[in-house]
Amino acid sequence: MPPSVPSLSRRVARILRTSLFAQVACALVLGVAVGKLWPDVATDLQPLGDGFTRLIKTIISPLVFCVVVVGIAKAGDLKAFGRIGLKALIWFEVASTLALLIGLLAAGIVRPGAGMNVDPATLDTSAVDAKTGGGSLPSTTEFIVHSLPTSFVGAFAENSLLQVLILACLVGAALLHLGHTKVPKVLPAVEQAQEIIFAIVGFVMRLAPIAVFGAMAVLIGNYGLGVIETYGKLIILCYAAAALFVTLLAVALRLVTGLSLWKFLRYIREELLLALGTASTESVMPRVMQKLRRAGAREDAVGLVLPTGYSFNLDGASLYLSIGTLFIAQAVGVDLSLSQQITVVLVLMLTSKGMAGIPGSAFLALSATASSLGAIPAGAVALLLGVDRIMDSMRVVTNLLGNCVAVFAVSRWEGALDVERAKKVLDGEAVAETGEESGQPESAAGPSGAPASESAAGPSGAPSGPVGPADSGSPEPAGGAPVVVVPPRLGKEAASENS
């Protein structure tokens, strides 16, 4: 008898049950509908998104600590770790400066604020003060000093990623100095803690669709769709500039590593959609770290470059700040000279580095830039209050992609990237897990159109834990693709591929 073909309704139900991407996409559409139809109800759904973000934040610091410590200890070369950090900072500075220049050129050519003729005296600046909470951006000295931990526990309690990174580097260096013979149980304990954290990530990610639904409903309920009409030119310009920057990232990734950014977008489509819905890159950091490690980037490179990029490589924010500065100037009738535009770039190069984790940081950076020019009223930044939340999606996706490309590029630069494995993973070929990796293998969409693995939960709904080399069988090939077994990578040497 010919095999029975599942009905369309059964296939749709299966996709919705097993595909995190489909669940988040449906939640996003439902959130927009609820926000449009029942805005009063939608504004009460804020705890759904906030609760998910809080749960994710509780595991980011311990996850970064474990990944960096294990990465340093396994790499066995502290100097290599230092080179990765230096190369990452160079990449971050070049990328963020390029984003600032693209934003300035785009705003100078399109002139989104021209013709608005806004009188700054008529703007209500109290809303800006409420948005920023009366805070201010740290100076360079304050930023550096605050990056140094005052206590071991305090760094984790405050969720300060830079402080946690420094502690992790010190612990990893101490393990290398003492050697495995003096402290034989520490590294295995950290590795086991890392596996537990990744298992928790799998549990929390099941709540992602609920978080996206609540966040989108609140966004549309508070601001409505009318804001898109009012600021349509500015919104389109920002997203177009972001698309141009992402295209340049794709070219850079291809030239440096030979990898395709478009295939990588498909690989992390769930995380991108979740970042779009929650307007937070922190909500996807644990999963992105898992996927980057599985795609061939070495643990120490992932553990150092990605978290550091959250403070030093805010490409999407840089685009928005440069475009926003010129938009405000054009709206109030101020034409900035070339020297003033250069000043904008220099000021934003500094202020954008201390933005992460500060409420209303974009408005603080814009106010500081306006004050440094002396030609734009600082209160004019209130013009962007109505559109700032709409720009969050552009900022978070561009920030996320910029940092992921940085991980691949710096890893390749340092010889810490297994390019052949990365190509196989991004092509959707089944790749055996190694002892260094956690999380469930993911592959391209199967014959039914549903991704083979979309979340930490398998098709049956049961959480799938990390698979080690001892207890894992050969992964089931998708669509008849050959299984490729990749041995663990040691130090800076890339793994050899056995077909």
Side-chain angles (χ1 to χ4, degrees):
M1 294 180 60
S4 60
V5 179
S7 64
L8 178 61
S9 60
R10 285 180 177 272
R11 282 186 289 172
V12 171
R14 178 181 177 276
I15 292 173
L16 289 176
R17 187 178 70 253
T18 62
S19 169
L20 180 62
F21 179 82
Q23 293 169 4
V24 172
C26 290
L28 191 147
V29 173
L30 288 175
V32 172
V34 170
K36 177 64 177 176
L37 297 175
W38 303 286
D40 294 336
V41 175
T43 54
D44 295 330
L45 300 177
Q46 184 75 39
L48 296 180
D50 289 348
F52 176 80
T53 303
R54 291 171 71 94
L55 286 174
I56 287 291
K57 284 184 176 181
T58 60
I59 56 180
I60 287 179
S61 290
L63 174 61
V64 170
F65 178 82
C66 292
V67 170
V68 173
V69 171
V70 172
I72 294 177
K74 285 190 173 181
D77 186 357
L78 195 58
K79 290 182 180 180
F81 194 73
R83 289 195 303 269
I84 290 173
L86 178 60
K87 291 172 181 178
L89 291 177
I90 294 173
W91 180 277
F92 293 160
E93 196 57 49
V94 172
S96 57
T97 302
L98 177 62
L100 288 172
L101 293 175
I102 289 175
L104 279 180
L105 289 174
I109 294 172
V110 179
R111 298 182 61 81
M116 294 184 68
N117 300 319
V118 175
D119 181 4
T122 62
L123 298 174
D124 181 14
T125 60
S126 61
V128 177
D129 294 333
K131 182 83 172 178
T132 60
S136 61
L137 292 176
S139 64
T140 303
T141 303
E142 291 172 339
F143 179 72
I144 294 174
V145 171
H146 184 70
S147 300
L148 302 176
T150 55
S151 73
F152 203 100
V153 177
F156 290 89
E158 296 173 6
N159 231 0
S160 176
L161 280 185
L162 290 180
Q163 293 184 10
V164 171
L165 271 175
I166 290 176
L167 288 173
C169 291
L170 292 174
V171 173
L175 286 177
L176 282 180
H177 176 70
L178 294 173
H180 297 306
T181 55
K182 290 188 177 180
V183 282
K185 297 183 179 180
V186 175
L187 183 58
V190 175
E191 288 183 297
Q192 291 167 11
Q194 178 178 281
E195 303 298 346
I196 293 173
I197 294 170
F198 277 127
I200 296 173
V201 171
F203 299 147
V204 176
M205 287 302 294
R206 297 184 186 184
L207 303 175
I210 299 175
V212 170
F213 169 74
M216 289 306 300
V218 171
L219 171 62
I220 302 301
N222 282 335
Y223 298 98
L225 298 176
V227 68
I228 298 178
E229 299 176 5
T230 305
Y231 291 93
K233 193 174 182 180
L234 175 63
I235 294 172
I236 293 173
L237 176 62
C238 285
Y239 278 84
L244 174 60
F245 181 78
V246 170
T247 302
L248 294 177
L249 285 178
V251 173
L253 182 64
R254 174 71 73 176
L255 292 176
V256 175
T257 66
L259 302 177
S260 168
L261 182 62
W262 316 121
K263 291 181 180 179
F264 181 72
L265 288 174
R266 183 182 63 185
Y267 179 56
I268 63 165
R269 58 191 179 275
E270 302 163 1
E271 290 72 26
L272 282 176
L273 199 58
L274 178 56
L276 275 170
T278 59
S280 169
T281 51
E282 288 184 334
S283 64
V284 298
M285 180 193 276
R287 288 261 298 186
V288 170
M289 292 180 76
Q290 278 182 295
K291 288 195 169 184
L292 287 171
R293 293 165 62 215
R294 182 175 181 269
R298 209 169 60 199
E299 269 186 306
D300 53 345
V302 174
L304 179 61
V305 178
L306 190 66
T308 307
Y310 273 53
S311 293
F312 288 94
N313 192 39
L314 304 176
D315 298 327
S318 298
L319 276 170
Y320 172 64
L321 290 175
S322 55
I323 293 175
T325 300
L326 262 66
F327 169 79
I328 293 169
Q330 294 161 4
V332 298
V334 175
D335 288 326
L336 298 180
S337 65
L338 179 60
S339 61
Q340 288 175 316
Q341 293 187 40
I342 293 174
T343 302
V344 169
V345 173
L346 295 176
V347 172
L348 290 178
M349 284 174 64
L350 295 175
T351 55
S352 63
K353 299 296 184 291
M355 289 175 55
I358 299 177
S361 56
F363 290 96
L364 293 173
L366 288 169
S367 299
T369 305
S371 300
S372 66
L373 293 173
I376 306 175
V381 299
L383 280 170
L384 294 174
L385 278 171
V387 76
D388 182 71
R389 180 62 180 83
I390 301 294
M391 297 299 187
D392 272 346
S393 298
M394 178 274 294
R395 290 197 295 253
V396 298
V397 170
T398 309
N399 289 344
L400 178 62
L401 289 178
N403 287 323
C404 289
V405 170
V407 171
F408 281 127
V410 173
S411 298
R412 176 64 169 168
W413 195 359
E414 181 58 27
L417 176 65
D418 187 344
V419 178
E420 291 304 316
R421 179 184 178 88
K423 289 180 178 179
K424 288 180 173 63
V425 170
L426 297 188
D427 284 338
E429 295 185 25
V431 179
E433 298 298 297
T434 69
E436 292 180 0
E437 294 160 353
S438 304
Q440 184 176 351
E442 302 200 20
S443 63
S448 66
S453 170
E454 294 288 353
S455 67
S460 64
S464 60
V467 180
D471 59 354
S472 63
S474 299
E476 186 70 20
V483 176
V484 180
V485 179
V486 181
R489 299 177 298 279
L490 298 175
K492 293 170 58 179
E493 296 295 324
S496 59
E497 298 291 337
N498 298 323
S499 299

